[in-house]
Amino acid sequence: MNGAESLVRTLIKNGVDICFANPGTSEMHFVAALDRVEGMRCVLGLFEGVVTGAADGYFRMKGAPACTLLHLGPGLANGLANLHNAKKASSGIVNIVGQHALHHIECNAPLTSDIEGLARPMSAWVRTSPDSRSVARDGAAAIAAAQSSPPQIATLILPADAAWSDADDVADVTETLQRPDYSSQAIESTAKILRGSGETLLLLAGSALTERGLALAAGIAGKTGCKVMGETFNARMARGRGRFFVDRIPYPVEQALSVLKPFRNIILVEANDPVAFFAYPDKPSFLKPEGCDVHRMTANGENSIAALEALASAVGARLRDAKPQQPMETGWPEGPLNHTSIAQAIAMAIPENAIVIDEAITTGRKFFPSTAFAAPHDWLQNMGGSIGFSTPVAIGAAVACPERKVICMVGDGSAMYTLQSLWTQAREGLNVLTIVFSNRMYQILRGEFDGVGAGEPGKKAMDMLSLDRPALDWVTLGRGMGVQGRAVTTADEFNKALAEAMAEQGPRLIDVQM
Amino acid sequence: MNGAESLVRTLIKNGVDICFANPGTSEMHFVAALDRVEGMRCVLGLFEGVVTGAADGYFRMKGAPACTLLHLGPGLANGLANLHNAKKASSGIVNIVGQHALHHIECNAPLTSDIEGLARPMSAWVRTSPDSRSVARDGAAAIAAAQSSPPQIATLILPADAAWSDADDVADVTETLQRPDYSSQAIESTAKILRGSGETLLLLAGSALTERGLALAAGIAGKTGCKVMGETFNARMARGRGRFFVDRIPYPVEQALSVLKPFRNIILVEANDPVAFFAYPDKPSFLKPEGCDVHRMTANGENSIAALEALASAVGARLRDAKPQQPMETGWPEGPLNHTSIAQAIAMAIPENAIVIDEAITTGRKFFPSTAFAAPHDWLQNMGGSIGFSTPVAIGAAVACPERKVICMVGDGSAMYTLQSLWTQAREGLNVLTIVFSNRMYQILRGEFDGVGAGEPGKKAMDMLSLDRPALDWVTLGRGMGVQGRAVTTADEFNKALAEAMAEQGPRLIDVQM
């Protein structure tokens, strides 16, 4: 057994049995080990942003880390943007990054770079394995780091000589996963606030947004009159009929300020102090109103479900205290495609237990309320703001949950960053429907241009915001990578394309031309 | 005038008048300034690897830096792989990377990351501008850094508040570009070696590979009997009829060892000590034979042309001492497409003064000798080994030299990393012919797998090397981004497609199906 094989066996033994990969020469011993060791599924991506985004999606749906296989510094670099998004979503990932044989580094061969330096900004744990007999132990430590509470990005750098030289054994993850509980004192003081006067917001994130967390929060709200919301973006939220609907803090700063204005207290359940996504001249960065106190009930990684149970008990709330939500009118839309009709069609089409990946940016701002009473589903958003997030995350979600339909909603600008995802979806026959919203524009920047005080874009500025010259043909792009699709220009066509796609297995694409 | 405008004006005033851009919110003031200031051409890329690769290609052909415009840490991260290639090619680039307003960083908003940490591994110069009135001065310092000898990657991080707040003025680059000359002692000792006995190799890189440098080297070789070669990969080499043909050190280690075996002395003219691209078990990393001495004549950034002139004078060589090269048989190929017929067709098709970008990987290994007697052209290669290099570099070369035909030769695996390049080529109407070699395989890894001692790939390993399930349809992918193309399967079809593409202006694609 060589070092690479000891690593593959260690990963599998400790439950890391999916590898999203884009390997090169220095990773060939790891690839070779896949033939000798049973139990590792390896999924090829043709660009590393696909690989790391897929690992993020896998973690969000499985709650367990996958590994990636990346080629030296530049391969890692190509995956960093989606590692950034994964880090901000608290996804656990074990990156395996190849390195030259250690004696070869002094040669400064073309692919030599500072891999640890590249890894650090997006990784909580970084280690270069010093030799083949350390690889298994280092692999186990990387898994332990990825499985921390909160979960982390762990990057293990594997020199080629450590991969090809002799190793003894596999290793076990010895650190027991200790999920920190919660602070009883925080529950007591939260209960006191909820029993007091003054408008209070329970701001939920992370595990508080599971079906159970939402139900508990709904009971607490029903009993105490507090309001419950989610952050602007959420890693995963349980939604749909029968589940408690929580709205999110709006993205535009003015709207966020207005929504938060009534509150005297904000209770953070894994959430962060509400902040603006970007800074704007003469607008605040912190969004809480003057005189409002912010209190932390649980931190990221703490047991928010147990904490919410304790809080419910402290305030005497029961699940049946939840006030029923007012269902919205539904029905398939008619007429032209616009943000409202698109939202309505998607709400109608979401099948039971779907996974919805939301990178619809401006087009998607109306999707959230409309889909609140769709069939029960999970809703995944981009926590790091680096676009090109959704199509790879859809791969990981589909690999984690092959029996569920994945609906990836993405703006055309965002979809271009990682369009190679479609090929992996075709190769693996993944049950992913990609809906591209083609407004032929970085539409969000059109708004932000004004928002930052830059006025009205002139011809040269508009050129940097528009994607209309030439128009991207998404059905053709999909076909070039093996994914069949359909372009739609009316609500009726969209309805039919959605119904057709939901009835089929395997990857499909709808190009919504706006 | 705000900070962003002072930066745009400073860039233009100091000759940096091309901006390859993929901006976001934090860069909107820079974009807005483009409307108010004449003289900056802005070229949009739909992925940052396109942007940074284009800046590399621009520098190689223009000898002057372009700037890039990138969105925060993740935008920079997406551009790092091609910055790595640019750094290894000694290309000068001024990266402008947006940052949150400085007061906003403590909010840890979704897009917050360690931008300086990300920049450092691929940048020689990194600075975050502290306020709006420092931006012009920092911009001038970045330009000076990019124009150093050797040229460098300079990354200027521009906080949004420094962009939008008031600024006074533009700045001048005050550092005078001092190209270090060369060491007379090194010339003397080189001349002594060349006059002595023992086989000697003059190993050229960088500016020594211009037409003038090659002619001088040819004269020296003719006079002294030394051999002249280039490194395995070269940033830019003048080639074709009437120019001195130098072969390169082969990529495979055994072949390189065999080629270098006769030499007792290796003289480095900007070149590096020959090393293996990767390490392999039981193969050396340093390639010089035992007993061979390596001597540095000029370092990267020194004036190798003046040094070669001095050397020619010292050994009494004149240009007419150059031995004429034996021209190769040429003619359009017939029959099936294989590495030889493809190379022959390309040699016939290269038009006068073309720019050839070579990322043909395994398919391209036969191209170099065959094209030695094509019409005069420049040949650009990947110096950093991170694939996805050529299609963006073609953009930059075409922007730098609009009157020249750019021929981008790329393997299908490599082309997938930055296929968004085709859209920019279509948008800008660039005179680029992309030739994709579709062997549906990371063919080089097939060889490396055996080379690193991993034996014969089994089914699971082969799955990580092959791109045949599904097949990528490059003509369709090109059409989806506005580039017309043609697939060819015989030499005759390839000949015709090449002739047709050479006769046309604007971007075209040929999918060579092997």
Side-chain angles (χ1 to χ4, degrees):
Chain A
M1 171 158 51
N2 62 24
E5 185 173 331
S6 81
L7 178 57
V8 173
R9 290 188 184 277
T10 296
L11 289 163
I12 295 168
K13 187 174 185 197
N14 294 285
V16 180
D17 55 5
I18 294 280
C19 178
F20 297 101
N22 184 258
T25 297
S26 39
E27 293 74 51
M28 283 300 103
H29 282 280
F30 188 103
V31 171
L34 298 172
D35 283 327
R36 296 195 297 275
V37 184
E38 279 297 315
M40 177 70 81
R41 177 173 174 194
C42 223
V43 175
L44 181 63
L46 299 187
F47 174 70
E48 294 87 347
V50 174
V51 166
T52 53
D56 182 10
Y58 182 86
F59 183 89
R60 294 195 197 195
M61 295 315 302
K62 200 84 169 185
C67 65
T68 66
L69 185 62
L70 303 168
H71 184 44
L72 299 166
L76 171 62
N78 278 333
L80 284 175
N82 272 332
L83 287 178
H84 168 87
N85 290 330
K87 174 189 171 187
K88 297 281 180 167
S90 290
S91 291
I93 297 176
V94 176
N95 294 308
I96 314 290
V97 183
Q99 168 61 298
H100 285 311
L102 290 175
H103 64 267
H104 195 70
I105 293 175
E106 63 161 334
C107 299
N108 196 25
L111 274 161
T112 307
S113 67
D114 175 9
I115 306 181
E116 291 192 359
L118 288 164
R120 265 186 218 106
M122 308 313 186
S123 311
W125 185 100
V126 178
R127 185 180 297 173
T128 300
S129 221
D131 53 57
S132 57
R133 298 193 195 278
S134 304
V135 170
R137 184 201 64 205
D138 291 340
I143 297 167
Q147 291 174 340
S148 300
S149 238
Q152 296 179 329
I153 311 292
T155 299
L156 175 62
I157 299 165
L158 180 63
D161 50 345
W164 76 50
S165 303
D166 287 345
D168 310 305
D169 212 348
V170 301
D172 290 303
V173 174
T174 48
E175 296 91 12
T176 332
L177 178 61
Q178 291 262 332
R179 188 179 176 86
D181 215 31
Y182 58 87
S183 148
S184 305
Q185 206 183 332
I187 302 302
E188 270 170 49
S189 67
T190 302
K192 197 172 160 194
I193 292 161
L194 288 172
R195 281 189 300 256
S197 65
E199 287 285 304
T200 297
L201 172 64
L202 211 55
L203 187 60
L204 310 184
S207 63
L209 295 172
T210 52
E211 185 165 15
R212 173 79 182 153
L214 289 168
L216 289 162
I220 292 163
K223 177 73 179 182
T224 68
C226 75
K227 171 101 178 165
V228 182
M229 292 191 80
E231 294 184 295
T232 309
F233 297 101
N234 299 285
R236 177 177 171 181
M237 186 190 264
R239 306 184 75 235
R241 280 193 295 276
R243 290 164 175 180
F244 181 57
F245 171 62
V246 295
D247 211 344
R248 300 174 295 142
I249 297 177
Y251 174 93
V253 170
E254 294 81 355
Q255 293 177 36
L257 291 171
S258 158
V259 161
L260 294 175
K261 196 166 181 198
F263 298 109
R264 295 291 311 280
N265 291 289
I266 298 176
I267 312 288
L268 303 176
V269 186
E270 290 192 44
N272 294 310
D273 210 335
V275 297
F277 199 91
F278 289 109
Y280 304 91
D282 309 321
K283 289 181 195 168
S285 285
F286 288 96
L287 300 176
K288 66 164 185 152
E290 217 173 318
C292 172
D293 295 318
V294 177
H295 318 265
R296 175 156 302 288
M297 187 172 110
T298 54
N300 182 11
E302 287 187 327
N303 190 339
S304 295
I305 298 299
L308 285 166
E309 282 166 351
L311 180 64
S313 164
V315 299
R318 287 153 306 182
L319 291 184
R320 66 169 184 266
D321 290 328
K323 288 194 184 139
Q325 304 290 314
Q326 197 62 37
M328 293 179 81
E329 291 290 324
T330 51
W332 290 99
E334 289 176 359
L337 281 172
N338 53 43
H339 291 191
T340 307
S341 61
I342 290 170
Q344 206 180 332
I346 288 170
M348 290 296 293
I350 289 174
E352 183 92 14
N353 214 21
I355 301 165
V356 179
I357 325 277
D358 173 12
E359 197 178 20
I361 319 275
T362 50
T363 308
R365 289 201 183 148
K366 291 210 170 162
F367 292 180
F368 204 69
S370 307
T371 51
F373 301 94
H377 61 274
D378 283 304
W379 191 278
L380 279 56
Q381 291 183 293
N382 188 350
M383 303 298 284
S386 179
I387 59 177
F389 143 88
S390 61
T391 60
V393 166
I395 291 171
V399 167
C401 304
E403 74 295 349
R404 299 174 69 172
K405 181 64 115 182
V406 177
I407 302 172
C408 173
M409 310 187 304
V410 58
D412 50 357
S414 298
M416 274 304 279
Y417 284 73
T418 44
L419 75 162
Q420 303 92 341
S421 304
L422 295 171
W423 183 82
T424 299
Q425 292 174 13
R427 165 173 268 216
E428 299 289 329
L430 300 178
N431 202 4
V432 176
L433 168 63
T434 303
I435 309 176
V436 181
F437 300 104
S438 294
N439 58 14
R440 299 181 169 76
M441 175 82 85
Y442 289 132
Q443 181 66 43
I444 193 166
L445 295 183
R446 184 67 188 77
E448 298 282 317
F449 195 90
D450 184 49
V452 299
E456 190 67 24
K459 190 187 167 312
K460 285 176 78 178
M462 271 306 287
D463 235 30
M464 294 299 101
L465 311 183
S466 67
L467 314 181
D468 60 347
R469 188 168 52 80
L472 292 161
D473 180 341
W474 279 98
V475 172
T476 299
L477 287 171
R479 190 184 313 128
M481 287 180 274
V483 173
Q484 295 307 309
R486 182 182 296 280
V488 300
T489 57
T490 67
D492 190 52
E493 285 172 10
F494 189 36
N495 298 341
K496 282 187 187 137
L498 281 168
E500 183 184 87
M502 295 310 164
E504 284 169 346
Q505 293 290 309
R508 289 291 180 282
L509 182 146
I510 300 175
D511 181 11
V512 179
Q513 300 187 343
M514 303 165 70
Chain B
M1 168 157 56
N2 62 25
E5 187 174 329
S6 80
L7 178 57
V8 173
R9 289 188 185 278
T10 296
L11 289 163
I12 295 168
K13 186 173 184 198
N14 294 286
V16 180
D17 55 4
I18 294 280
C19 179
F20 297 101
N22 185 260
T25 297
S26 40
E27 292 74 51
M28 283 299 104
H29 283 280
F30 188 103
V31 171
L34 299 172
D35 283 327
R36 296 194 298 276
V37 184
E38 280 299 314
M40 178 69 81
R41 178 174 175 193
C42 223
V43 175
L44 181 63
L46 299 187
F47 174 70
E48 294 87 347
V50 175
V51 166
T52 53
D56 182 10
Y58 182 87
F59 182 90
R60 294 196 197 195
M61 294 315 301
K62 201 83 168 185
C67 66
T68 66
L69 185 62
L70 303 168
H71 185 43
L72 298 167
L76 171 61
N78 279 333
L80 285 176
N82 272 331
L83 287 178
H84 167 85
N85 290 331
K87 174 188 171 188
K88 297 281 181 168
S90 289
S91 290
I93 297 176
V94 176
N95 295 308
I96 314 290
V97 183
Q99 167 63 296
H100 286 309
L102 291 175
H103 64 267
H104 195 71
I105 293 175
E106 64 162 333
C107 298
N108 197 23
L111 273 161
T112 307
S113 67
D114 175 9
I115 305 181
E116 292 193 358
L118 288 164
R120 263 185 219 108
M122 308 313 185
S123 311
W125 185 100
V126 179
R127 186 180 296 173
T128 300
S129 220
D131 53 58
S132 57
R133 296 190 198 278
S134 305
V135 170
R137 185 200 62 205
D138 292 340
I143 296 167
Q147 292 174 339
S148 299
S149 239
Q152 295 179 327
I153 310 292
T155 300
L156 175 61
I157 299 165
L158 180 63
D161 50 345
W164 75 52
S165 303
D166 288 344
D168 310 305
D169 214 347
V170 301
D172 291 303
V173 174
T174 49
E175 295 91 11
T176 333
L177 177 61
Q178 292 259 333
R179 189 181 176 84
D181 215 33
Y182 59 86
S183 150
S184 304
Q185 207 183 334
I187 302 302
E188 270 169 50
S189 66
T190 303
K192 196 171 162 195
I193 292 161
L194 287 172
R195 282 190 298 256
S197 65
E199 286 286 305
T200 297
L201 171 65
L202 211 55
L203 187 60
L204 309 185
S207 62
L209 294 172
T210 53
E211 186 166 12
R212 173 80 181 151
L214 290 169
L216 289 163
I220 292 163
K223 177 75 180 181
T224 68
C226 75
K227 172 102 179 165
V228 182
M229 292 191 81
E231 294 185 295
T232 310
F233 297 101
N234 299 285
R236 177 178 170 180
M237 186 190 264
R239 307 185 73 234
R241 278 194 296 275
R243 291 167 173 176
F244 182 57
F245 171 62
V246 296
D247 212 342
R248 301 174 293 141
I249 297 176
Y251 174 94
V253 171
E254 293 81 356
Q255 292 177 35
L257 290 171
S258 156
V259 162
L260 295 174
K261 195 166 183 201
F263 297 110
R264 294 291 312 279
N265 291 288
I266 298 176
I267 311 288
L268 303 176
V269 185
E270 290 191 45
N272 294 310
D273 210 333
V275 297
F277 199 91
F278 288 110
Y280 304 89
D282 308 321
K283 288 180 197 170
S285 285
F286 288 96
L287 301 177
K288 65 164 185 150
E290 216 173 319
C292 172
D293 294 318
V294 177
H295 317 266
R296 176 157 299 288
M297 185 171 111
T298 56
N300 183 10
E302 288 187 324
N303 190 340
S304 296
I305 298 299
L308 285 166
E309 283 166 350
L311 180 63
S313 165
V315 299
R318 286 153 307 182
L319 291 184
R320 66 169 184 267
D321 289 328
K323 288 193 184 139
Q325 304 290 314
Q326 197 62 38
M328 290 180 80
E329 291 290 325
T330 50
W332 290 99
E334 290 176 0
L337 282 172
N338 53 43
H339 290 192
T340 306
S341 61
I342 291 169
Q344 204 180 334
I346 287 170
M348 289 296 292
I350 289 174
E352 183 94 15
N353 215 21
I355 301 165
V356 179
I357 325 278
D358 173 13
E359 197 178 19
I361 319 278
T362 49
T363 308
R365 288 198 184 152
K366 290 210 170 161
F367 293 180
F368 204 70
S370 308
T371 52
F373 300 95
H377 60 276
D378 284 305
W379 192 277
L380 279 57
Q381 291 183 293
N382 188 350
M383 303 297 284
S386 179
I387 58 177
F389 143 88
S390 60
T391 61
V393 165
I395 292 172
V399 168
C401 304
E403 73 294 350
R404 299 174 68 172
K405 181 65 112 182
V406 177
I407 302 171
C408 173
M409 310 187 302
V410 58
D412 50 358
S414 298
M416 274 304 279
Y417 283 73
T418 45
L419 75 163
Q420 304 92 340
S421 304
L422 295 171
W423 183 83
T424 299
Q425 293 174 12
R427 164 174 267 216
E428 300 289 330
L430 300 177
N431 201 6
V432 176
L433 167 64
T434 303
I435 309 176
V436 180
F437 300 104
S438 294
N439 58 15
R440 298 180 169 77
M441 176 82 84
Y442 289 132
Q443 181 67 43
I444 192 166
L445 295 184
R446 183 68 188 77
E448 298 283 316
F449 195 90
D450 184 49
V452 300
E456 190 67 25
K459 191 186 168 311
K460 287 176 78 178
M462 270 307 287
D463 235 29
M464 293 299 102
L465 311 185
S466 67
L467 315 180
D468 61 348
R469 187 168 51 81
L472 292 161
D473 180 342
W474 280 98
V475 172
T476 299
L477 288 171
R479 190 184 312 129
M481 287 181 274
V483 173
Q484 296 308 310
R486 183 182 293 282
V488 300
T489 56
T490 66
D492 191 51
E493 286 172 10
F494 189 36
N495 296 342
K496 282 186 187 138
L498 281 168
E500 183 184 88
M502 295 311 164
E504 284 169 347
Q505 292 291 309
R508 290 290 181 283
L509 183 147
I510 301 175
D511 181 10
V512 178
Q513 298 187 343
M514 303 164 68

